[in-house]
Amino acid sequence: MEQGTSSTEWRDLLKWTWLPTLAILTSGVLLQSMNALLLTTVLPSIADELGGAAMLSLPASAYVGSSIVAASGAGLLTARYGVRDTLCVGVVIFGLGALICTFAASMGWIVAGRLVQGLGGGLEVGAAYTAVRAVFPSKLWPRVIALMATSWTISVFLGPLVGGLFARAGHWRGALVVTVLISAILAVAAALVLPANRPVERSAGARIPAGRIGLICLAIAALSCASLVQAVGAKAGLILAAVAALALMLRLDRKAPVRLLPSDAFSVSTQTGIGLWLALLLCIAFSPLHIYMPIFLQRLRGLDPLESGFMVASGSLAWTAASVLVSGLTGPWPRRLLLAGPVLMAGGLIALAMLLQSPAPTLALVPAIVLLGIGIGQAWPFVGPTIMSGARPGDEAAAASAVPTIQQTGLALGAALAGVVANASGFASAAAEADTRNAAFWVPACFAVTAGLAGVASLRLQWRRRADLASGPGM
């Protein structure tokens, strides 16, 4: 019976009534996700031509920071201006950011272009998911979201392929021209295909929490700047400023009538609070892979951009594959996988740190990269349910929306911290192989500590669950 229903829903979705709209939405998600891996692949070539190796982590942190801002306001903008107009504007802004990167004369312009792209990308993806509810009947929502999710898997191949081919030919700007052209085509197609949904009146209390989101961005910016300054006192001051900004954001959020995060966010004594710590630490530990590993592989192992791009993409593919394979497991398995995931990540990072210093064959690095992806992939499907199932009454919506916010924040903070570690270990000069080799050890080694902290959070989570069960059936 279930099989028949499922088959009917797929047949209902994959027909001409919905296919044009479905193609637009999946293409929008694919454009954003593909571009992330495309830039990762060409970034070493950009640094070689434009300089600015010390700023290597800033394009990623700038993109994610501005994406958080845009995604948080996507719901309100679609309510006011409609899904079609909001999505089209997001795609145009995304393409404009790529255009800025295309004509960049320094790494600073790359960072500026990625900042603009993040605004467009956050708006675009937020509008795409809002369109699912606005355009499709409710029985088709799971199928549409599942198809949109496949875009991330496809991008694992397309991003490194497009970026690698252009970088290998010595024309990294051509990869960004492709992004501009696709953005233009997608914007026109969305304007023609998507229905002009009538906007709804914004409720009086619906406002973007600009102050709290600004504090998150301030923390990301402070950490990013800490990677650039040389004075130890200034570096420590910027790191402390980042911590203070995040602490203030949490304090203000807990008092706000409409919260970004649950009321017990990052508490170490509740399931939801510990779950948010786990999500944050997992994403921080994974983020350096896409920023520094391509340039380590190219400079220390002599790989070309295409080869290094696909090697790094194997980590993302492993994340996706592991998540799909374990997502249906129940019983004791979620607990075991949450415990084992950080351990595997730490093992993969330590292996990368050691192998990059040794004469081991380059292919020996692939299992370590895959292990890192499997570690976060096997844990991630159970992190969200852990956070949501432990939410206090009234915090259910905030707990659900907190998962992508924390994921993006963790990736941005991880990128900024990776820059701090890399530059502190000598990567800012980057001309000497010894500096690159030194950074190639300390970046993964330091983030193995972050993975270890995620393991501590997972252990604490299991203890909390046992305590809740022992206290009675209330949780």
Side-chain angles (χ1 to χ4, degrees), residues 259-273:
R259 291 188 294 269
L260 281 173
L261 303 174
S263 58
D264 58 342
F266 297 106
S267 166
V268 295
S269 59
T270 67
Q271 178 177 314
T272 295

Side-chain angles (χ1 to χ4, degrees), residues 111-160:
V111 176
R114 289 297 283 170
L115 190 72
V116 174
Q117 274 196 296
L119 291 172
L123 203 58
E124 170 197 333
V125 172
Y129 279 91
T130 303
V132 174
R133 183 181 183 89
V135 176
F136 294 90
S138 58
K139 71 173 185 176
L140 296 180
W141 292 350
R143 303 298 176 190
V144 178
I145 292 173
L147 285 177
M148 289 170 66
T150 62
S151 299
W152 295 94
T153 304
I154 297 171
S155 70
V156 169
F157 299 100
L158 285 182

Side-chain angles (χ1 to χ4, degrees), residues 63-441:
Y63 180 91
V64 179
S66 61
S67 179
I68 293 171
V69 174
S72 66
L76 293 178
L77 291 173
T78 53
R80 169 163 285 191
Y81 300 108
V83 168
R84 184 188 66 182
D85 292 350
T86 303
L87 190 142
C88 288
V89 169
V91 174
V92 170
I93 294 173
F94 188 86
L96 178 61
L99 190 64
I100 293 171
C101 292
T102 301
F103 292 102
S106 67
M107 185 65 80
W109 281 103
I110 296 290
V111 176
R114 289 297 283 170
L115 190 72
V116 174
Q117 274 196 296
L119 291 172
L123 203 58
E124 170 197 333
V125 172
Y129 279 91
T130 303
V132 174
R133 183 181 183 89
V135 176
F136 294 90
S138 58
K139 71 173 185 176
L140 296 180
W141 292 350
R143 303 298 176 190
V144 178
I145 292 173
L147 285 177
M148 289 170 66
T150 62
S151 299
W152 295 94
T153 304
I154 297 171
S155 70
V156 169
F157 299 100
L158 285 182
L161 178 63
V162 175
L165 288 175
F166 277 100
R168 174 186 274 181
H171 302 294
W172 60 264
R173 296 177 195 269
L176 295 167
V177 171
V178 170
T179 300
V180 175
L181 294 175
I182 294 175
S183 299
I185 294 169
L186 182 60
V188 173
L192 295 175
V193 170
L194 294 181
N197 297 98
R198 290 180 301 173
V200 298
E201 290 297 323
R202 188 173 73 171
S203 62
R207 293 187 299 175
I208 299 173
R212 284 168 282 157
I213 293 171
L215 286 169
I216 294 175
C217 294
L218 178 62
I220 295 169
L223 280 177
S224 299
C225 291
S227 69
L228 300 178
V229 300
Q230 298 300 317
V232 175
K235 196 180 290 285
L238 286 166
I239 293 173
L240 288 174
V243 173
L246 291 174
L248 179 59
M249 189 282 296
L250 284 175
R251 183 173 182 179
L252 293 175
D253 195 61
R254 285 172 179 167
K255 297 178 179 179
V258 179
R259 291 188 294 269
L260 281 173
L261 303 174
S263 58
D264 58 342
F266 297 106
S267 166
V268 295
S269 59
T270 67
Q271 178 177 314
T272 295
I274 301 168
L276 288 171
W277 272 116
L278 181 58
L280 182 72
L281 292 167
L282 287 173
C283 290
I284 289 175
F286 186 78
S287 59
L289 174 70
H290 291 104
I291 301 167
Y292 285 99
M293 195 53 60
I295 201 166
F296 291 158
L297 291 172
Q298 289 179 40
R299 293 187 176 180
L300 297 178
R301 296 296 179 137
L303 299 186
D304 67 27
L306 186 62
E307 294 167 334
S308 65
F310 275 116
M311 278 189 68
V312 171
S314 66
S316 296
L317 184 61
W319 179 345
T320 301
S323 294
V324 170
L325 289 173
V326 306
S327 59
L329 296 177
T330 57
W333 283 105
R335 175 179 58 81
R336 294 171 182 171
L337 293 171
L338 281 173
L339 287 168
V343 175
L344 295 181
M345 292 184 73
L349 288 163
I350 292 171
L352 287 172
M354 301 303 295
L355 288 170
L356 285 168
Q357 309 303 308
S358 73
T362 300
L363 285 178
L365 293 163
V366 175
I369 294 172
V370 169
L371 191 65
L372 179 62
I374 290 174
I376 191 170
Q378 71 172 36
W380 196 253
F382 309 109
V383 172
T386 294
I387 293 168
M388 291 185 284
S389 64
R392 293 171 174 173
D395 276 350
E396 294 86 354
S401 63
V403 178
T405 301
I406 294 302
Q407 180 181 9
Q408 293 287 83
T409 302
L411 292 172
L413 291 175
L417 286 168
V420 172
V421 174
N423 293 341
S425 57
F427 190 74
S429 56
E433 180 180 329
D435 292 331
T436 302
R437 192 173 298 279
N438 195 41
F441 174 80

